[in-house]
Amino acid sequence: MSVFSQLNSVIIERGAAYVVLIDPDRKNEDSINSRVELANNSGVDALFVGGSLMMDGNCTERVKQIKEVSNVPVIFFPGGVGQLNSYYDAMLFMSVISGRNPHYLIGEQVIAAPLVKVMGIETIPTGYILMDGGAGSTVEFVSGTRPIPMNRPDVAVAHALAGQYLGMNLIYLEAGSGAKEPVAPGVVKAVNDAVDVPLIVGGGIRSPETASETVKAGASIIVTGTIIEIHSNRMKELADAVHWKE
Ligand code: 1GP
């Protein structure tokens, strides 16, 4: 069964899926193993692995380590083609559709595509929409794109629809890692009402209450990174909040 089908089964059976983002960067060197082990036992449905900026050259080694320890699918959440390797079970084949920087709309993807083919990684076509979470996210700087203001659900809807019509299987509403404010429930609802594909929502989600509110607004997949870097033991309560059908 493909990783995408597995995620869809979780969404159908448990209401929504819970994903923990692990940044394979130097700062997490000592905590990766324990965090992945905890994820194995906390009802986490998948790991996203990636980050906008790597501060050393050991990313591949860390992804290998994550794959060795993980019991759940390890999905590449690409910060750039340099983080591509064959240890991932699948990847979000993403385009930053909220931006107008051709390199992140199609440039990185063209560089990555032949390598993905050779490595045989499952690709999940994903339209990535950066919303303004109020913290000036790293992805904003690295991608050279402007986030969509949070008070413009109409603009978010237009981008998400364009993504769906271009064939994206998932739409990712991103407030940016460490966002002050997560994607507003009103934005999630407006986009979910407009598109037929599942929504991933991440950035600034720090509590089960926010996770639950975001799912109720229409998110099918919730991603948390920062809160788990600070309090790994909160994975279980976040997973329980996301899995509302149980
Ligand atoms: C994944 O960028 C997010 O979409 C992760 O954000 O680190 O704020 O949880 P946090």
Side-chain angles (χ1 to χ4, degrees):
M1 196 198 243
S2 70
V3 170
F4 185 57
S5 304
Q6 284 180 52
L7 282 175
N8 271 321
S9 303
V10 173
I11 294 165
I12 291 165
E13 285 161 22
R14 309 183 82 181
Y18 176 50
V19 173
V20 165
L21 172 64
I22 296 191
D23 189 346
D25 191 23
R26 186 174 60 190
K27 65 175 191 266
N28 293 324
E29 173 78 23
D30 299 330
S31 57
I32 284 181
N33 268 15
S34 59
R35 215 175 294 161
V36 176
E37 275 164 14
L38 205 54
N40 287 340
N41 300 311
S42 302
V44 172
D45 297 302
L47 300 176
F48 281 177
V49 178
S52 301
L53 205 55
M54 293 298 131
M55 303 307 277
D56 71 8
N58 299 338
C59 166
T60 299
E61 194 47 44
R62 293 191 192 103
V63 179
K64 180 169 182 261
Q65 194 184 324
I66 292 166
K67 177 61 195 158
E68 279 167 7
V69 179
S70 179
N71 289 342
V72 297
V74 177
I75 303 172
F76 181 30
F77 176 46
V81 71
Q83 295 160 29
L84 189 58
N85 59 64
S86 55
Y87 298 111
Y88 303 106
D89 296 307
M91 68 180 289
L92 301 184
F93 204 84
M94 300 198 316
S95 176
V96 185
I97 60 172
S98 56
R100 299 297 182 270
N101 179 349
H103 188 69
Y104 285 92
L105 278 166
I106 186 62
E108 285 278 316
Q109 295 80 352
V110 169
I111 298 166
L115 304 175
V116 170
K117 170 91 175 161
V118 169
M119 291 175 187
I121 303 173
E122 176 187 337
T123 50
I124 306 173
T126 303
Y128 186 79
I129 297 178
L130 183 61
M131 303 295 301
D132 190 351
S137 64
T138 313
V139 56
E140 187 179 332
F141 288 99
V142 172
S143 68
T145 63
R146 280 172 57 197
I148 297 173
M150 203 61 85
N151 63 357
R152 295 301 306 270
D154 54 334
V155 177
V157 164
H159 281 80
L161 275 174
Q164 174 177 316
Y165 296 150
L166 282 166
M168 307 298 190
N169 286 346
L170 290 170
I171 294 293
Y172 200 133
L173 292 176
E174 169 74 272
S177 188
K180 281 192 190 138
E181 296 297 332
V183 179
V187 172
V188 176
K189 182 170 187 329
V191 173
N192 187 52
D193 285 349
V195 303
D196 303 317
V197 298
L199 298 186
I200 310 178
V201 181
I205 297 175
R206 286 182 281 271
S207 70
E209 293 73 25
T210 307
S212 169
E213 195 183 12
T214 308
V215 168
K216 280 188 196 130
S220 290
I221 300 175
I222 295 289
V223 186
T224 64
T226 305
I227 185 65
I228 297 308
E229 286 182 9
I230 303 168
H231 301 294
S232 299
N233 55 2
R234 299 201 70 184
M235 279 186 229
K236 175 84 170 72
E237 51 181 318
L238 281 154
D240 289 348
V242 171
H243 297 141
W244 59 271
K245 274 198 184 171
E246 302 177 317

